[in-house]
């Protein structure tokens, strides 16, 4: 019985091998029909290669389509699609000029693609899910790889097509402008608008509670205000409220750059303030002067950066490729790696690095002084309360930095590894963008939804309600009878006031 089973298994294995061997590898469709040529009448070589019209195809460069053998010419030549070439399909195209660059991307020279052996012309229009946009002859620049280069955009050969010369002898090209889904933009806009009320609520809570309006609280208010305006402008930009290159689009873009940079610098201020105050450093500067210095730094530096952008955009100081070109391609900086790295991501990277330094330095000091603080806290309740407050404050801001800093750090990494204007962003990029959109909810949870702030809010509104009721009762009693002043009332009121503070 066992021998019979083994024989059946061996027979099944040999059957599978014969079945796989009967399916020739060249029956797999290696390329589309548009990108292949009929090489059925080609010369067969003993090694499996085929020679057809001076082009030799290896066994992995052609396939069998029924009774027709098709060679993938685009694997051996740089294919160029030609639109509106129906009249040339039977006789062939003899002239098709374009500006072709060398391997370094420079030294453009005019080349007849129809007779150059490096290129193969496909006299058909490639598929396109959007609209075809026509380029003038001076802008038709073909790279050494056969791609179309347009203002730092790279279109591969299936994304554009050449046009035969017109009546006056000019050559043009068309590129496919695909229809971009508005769903990601709507999701981002929804995230920004959902987060916006939480940022406003955080600002209002700290504005109505005088107990929170110290240097750290005022810094948080400035940070939240800058971030709220940024989120509002980002949501409006995602919803395409403004027309490109309009005055309102440019004003919104410049304002967004200022507020976004200001939010980064205020986060840096809060990181430094914790390092300075909780790390053991002390100075003669008053709290008011310290906040003034912080404001000059956190508002002034973004204003200087904005002034540089305005200067570069409206003068000839630097070359065109290095300019921010705000409002040219959208209501923000030009979508180019070099531009965005110079004016946005490089300052952001420096600020994040500084924040990491401040938090690591503060954490090391806490760790080094932990034993000393434990000994002092056993004998001093005031010192114990202060250490607990400092520790809670450090943990609070550390969580804020972890969420905002790490998220923006991953944003920089995703920006570095993603090629602009080519492939669609991955789900990781969308996840990071959505987490940035919902930052207002996290900030509200960290700085408002805690025991101390909720207690202050309850005390403020309960005290206000109690004061109004007491005032109404005293006013009513005064109309009826005269109350003899009692010194004990003053003592009771002072105790109540101390309790609520």
């Amino acid at each position: 019985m066992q021998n019979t089973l083994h024989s059946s298994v061996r027979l099944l294995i040999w059957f599978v091998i014969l079945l796989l061997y009967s399916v020739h590898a060249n029956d797999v469709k290696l390329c589309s029909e548009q990108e292949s040529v009929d090489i059925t009448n080609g010369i067969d070589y003993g090694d499996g290669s085929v020679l057809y019209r001076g082009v030799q195809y290896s066994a992995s460069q052609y396939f069998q389509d029924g009774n027709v053998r098709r060679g993938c010419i685009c694997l051996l030549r740089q294919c160029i699609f030609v639109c509106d070439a129906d009249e040339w399909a039977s006789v062939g195209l003899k002239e098709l000029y374009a500006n072709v660059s060398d391997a370094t991307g420079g030294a453009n020279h005019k080349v007849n693609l129809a007779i150059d052996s490096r290129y193969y012309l496909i006299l058909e229009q490639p598929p396109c899910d959007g609209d075809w946009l026509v380029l003038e002859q001076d802008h038709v620049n073909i790279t050494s790889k056969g791609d179309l280069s347009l203002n730092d955009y790279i279109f591969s050969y299936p994304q554009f097509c050449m046009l035969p010369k017109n009546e006056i002898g000019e050559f043009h090209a068309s590129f496919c402008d695909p229809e971009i889904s508005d769903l990601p933009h709507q999701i981002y806009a929804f995230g920004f608008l959902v987060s916006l009320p939480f940022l406003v609520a955080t600002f209002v809570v700290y504005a109505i509670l005088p107990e929170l309006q110290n240097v750290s609280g005022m810094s948080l208010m400035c940070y939240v205000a800058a971030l709220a305006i940024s989120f509002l402008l980002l949501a409006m930009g995602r919803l395409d409220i403004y027309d490109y290159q309009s005055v309102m689009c440019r004003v919104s873009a410049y304002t967004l750059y200022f507020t976004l940079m200001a939010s980064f610098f205020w986060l840096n201020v809060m990181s430094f303030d914790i390092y300075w105050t909780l790390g053991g450093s002390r100075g003669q500067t008053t709290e008011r002067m310290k906040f003034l210095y912080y404001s000059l730094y956190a508002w002034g530096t973004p204003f200087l950066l904005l002034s540089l952008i305005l200067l570069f955009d409206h003068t000839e100081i630097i070359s065109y490729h290095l300019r921010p070109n705000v409002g040219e391609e959208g209501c923000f900086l030009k979508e180019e790696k070099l531009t965005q790295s110079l004016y946005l991501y490089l300052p952001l990277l420096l600020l994040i690095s500084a924040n990491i330094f401040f938090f690591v330095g503060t954490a090391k000091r806490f760790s080094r002084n932990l034993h000393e603080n434990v000994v002092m806290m056993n004998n001093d309740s005031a010192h114990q309360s202060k250490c607990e407050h400092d520790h809670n404050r450090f943990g609070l801001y550390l969580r804020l930095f972890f969420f905002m800093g790490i998220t923006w750090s991953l944003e920089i990494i995703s920006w570095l590894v993603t090629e602009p204007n080519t492939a669609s962003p991955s789900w990781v990029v969308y996840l990071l963008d959505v987490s940035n959109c919902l930052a207002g909810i996290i900030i509200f949870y960290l700085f408002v939804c805690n025991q101390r702030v909720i207690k202050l809010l309850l005390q403020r509104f309960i005290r206000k309600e109690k004061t109004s009721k007491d005032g109404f009762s005293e006013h009513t009693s005064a109309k009826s009878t005269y109350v003899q002043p009692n010194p004990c009332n003053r003592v009771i009121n002072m105790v109540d006031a101390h309790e609520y503070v």
Side-chain angles (χ1 to χ4, degrees):
M1 180 68 178
Q2 188 175 4
N3 293 334
T4 305
L5 180 60
H6 287 169
S7 300
S8 301
V9 171
R10 285 197 298 268
L11 181 63
L12 179 61
I13 293 175
W14 279 110
F15 176 77
V16 172
I17 293 175
L18 290 174
L19 181 63
L20 294 176
Y21 184 78
S22 64
V23 179
H24 197 272
N26 287 346
D27 290 342
V28 179
K29 193 173 183 180
L30 301 176
C31 57
S32 65
E33 186 175 347
Q34 274 187 319
E35 300 169 312
S36 63
V37 294
D38 186 355
I39 61 171
T40 306
N41 298 325
I43 301 174
D44 290 326
Y45 287 90
D47 57 355
S49 61
V50 176
L51 179 65
Y52 181 77
R53 292 188 177 181
V55 180
Q56 187 170 352
Y57 300 84
S58 65
S60 60
Q61 294 172 339
Y62 68 89
F63 63 96
Q64 197 72 27
D65 186 11
N67 296 326
V68 180
R69 180 185 294 166
R70 309 199 67 87
C72 297
I73 185 64
C74 296
L75 298 177
L76 300 167
R77 297 288 187 272
Q78 296 173 8
C79 288
I80 301 291
F81 282 94
V82 183
C83 298
D84 301 335
D86 297 337
E87 58 179 305
W88 306 99
S90 58
V91 298
L93 190 61
K94 303 301 181 183
E95 289 184 338
L96 186 66
Y97 289 93
N99 300 317
V100 180
S101 61
D102 56 17
T104 62
N108 289 340
H109 55 281
K110 197 172 183 179
V111 174
N112 187 359
L113 305 177
I115 63 175
D116 196 313
S117 60
R118 296 174 299 173
Y119 302 95
Y120 179 81
L121 303 183
I122 303 176
L123 303 181
E124 296 181 38
Q125 180 173 297
C128 176
D129 294 332
D131 299 325
W132 287 100
L133 303 181
V134 180
L135 288 175
E136 298 296 332
Q137 180 175 340
D138 294 338
H139 296 91
V140 181
N141 298 314
I142 306 298
T143 66
S144 60
K145 297 181 180 180
D147 300 327
L148 176 66
S149 176
L150 176 64
N151 297 332
D152 301 316
Y153 284 74
I154 299 298
F155 297 91
S156 59
Y157 73 89
Q159 297 176 314
F160 76 97
C161 61
M162 300 295 298
L163 296 171
K165 64 180 180 180
N166 55 18
E167 294 79 5
I168 60 176
E170 292 181 344
F171 297 88
H172 302 281
S174 293
F175 65 92
C176 179
D177 185 23
E179 295 181 357
I180 301 176
S181 175
D182 292 334
L183 181 60
H185 292 274
Q186 294 175 357
I187 293 176
Y188 294 151
F190 176 77
F192 288 131
L193 293 178
V194 168
S195 189
L196 186 60
F198 290 91
L199 293 173
V200 175
T202 304
F203 182 88
V204 171
V205 167
Y206 275 71
I208 64 177
L209 294 177
E211 297 86 353
L212 302 179
Q213 294 175 10
N214 50 15
V215 172
S216 60
M218 295 292 289
S219 299
L220 178 66
M221 290 174 62
C222 293
Y223 169 69
V224 167
L227 200 61
I229 298 175
S230 300
F231 278 17
L232 176 62
L233 295 176
L234 285 170
M236 295 172 67
R238 294 290 185 176
L239 295 175
D240 294 330
I241 294 180
Y242 306 124
D243 296 329
Y244 289 165
Q245 300 184 359
S246 64
V247 176
M248 290 303 300
C249 176
R250 295 178 187 274
V251 172
S252 174
Y254 288 125
T255 307
L256 173 60
Y257 180 80
F258 173 76
T259 56
L260 197 60
M261 295 303 299
S263 67
F264 298 152
F265 277 92
W266 274 112
L267 185 61
N268 179 246
V269 162
M270 290 188 288
S271 303
F272 173 77
D273 185 61
I274 295 174
Y275 174 79
W276 183 258
T277 58
L278 303 188
S281 300
R282 294 293 183 266
Q284 301 298 324
T285 307
T286 62
E287 294 293 297
R288 183 176 180 180
M289 290 301 298
K290 183 192 296 185
F291 181 72
L292 178 61
Y293 293 148
Y294 288 165
S295 299
L296 290 175
Y297 167 74
W299 295 119
T301 309
F303 181 78
L304 291 177
L305 294 175
L306 177 62
S307 302
L308 286 177
I309 286 183
L310 289 169
L311 181 66
F312 294 157
D313 264 349
H314 297 87
T315 61
E316 304 292 334
I317 295 179
I318 60 176
S319 63
Y320 179 81
H321 296 289
L322 295 177
R323 296 177 191 172
N325 290 327
V326 173
E328 292 292 334
E329 300 176 0
C331 295
F332 199 52
L333 299 173
K334 181 174 63 176
E335 294 183 1
E336 182 184 344
K337 274 190 175 295
L338 179 59
T339 301
Q340 294 191 350
S341 63
L342 288 176
Y343 303 107
L344 180 62
Y345 287 100
L346 179 59
L348 178 57
L349 181 61
L350 294 176
L351 291 174
I352 291 177
S353 302
N355 294 344
I356 294 175
F357 170 79
F358 293 143
F359 276 107
V360 170
T362 306
K364 285 184 177 180
R365 291 181 181 180
F366 267 140
S367 177
R368 185 172 60 248
N369 299 329
L370 180 62
H371 178 71
E372 178 182 354
N373 290 333
V374 170
V375 174
M376 295 181 63
M377 284 188 299
N378 293 331
N379 302 322
D380 190 350
S381 59
H383 187 78
Q384 179 180 0
S385 177
K386 180 182 182 302
C387 289
E388 291 180 355
H389 177 266
D390 290 347
H391 184 271
N392 293 334
R393 181 186 170 197
F394 174 72
L396 182 66
Y397 281 88
L398 182 61
R399 289 191 292 271
L400 172 66
F401 168 73
F402 180 82
F403 176 77
M404 298 300 297
I406 299 300
T407 304
W408 278 109
S409 300
L410 296 176
E411 175 75 17
I412 295 176
I413 296 174
S414 66
W415 171 80
L416 288 174
V417 300
T418 303
E419 287 294 330
N421 312 320
T422 52
S424 300
S426 63
W427 64 271
V428 179
V429 178
Y430 286 124
L431 181 62
L432 292 175
D433 291 340
V434 171
S435 63
N436 281 328
C437 294
L438 302 179
I441 301 176
I442 304 299
I443 294 173
F444 180 83
Y445 173 78
L446 291 177
F447 290 92
V448 176
C449 297
N450 59 69
Q451 185 177 0
R452 177 171 180 261
V453 176
I454 293 176
K455 182 179 179 180
L456 290 174
L457 286 172
L458 292 175
Q459 289 176 351
R460 176 178 176 83
F461 288 106
I462 292 176
R463 179 174 55 186
K464 183 176 180 181
E465 181 180 358
K466 181 179 180 181
T467 302
S468 61
K469 288 183 178 180
D470 292 343
F472 177 77
S473 301
E474 292 179 1
H475 180 71
T476 305
S477 302
K479 289 183 178 180
S480 57
T481 58
Y482 172 75
V483 180
Q484 182 70 25
N486 190 348
C488 297
N489 292 336
R490 183 177 180 182
V491 176
I492 294 174
N493 291 334
M494 291 176 61
V495 173
D496 291 339
H498 178 71
E499 178 183 356
Y500 287 116
V501 173

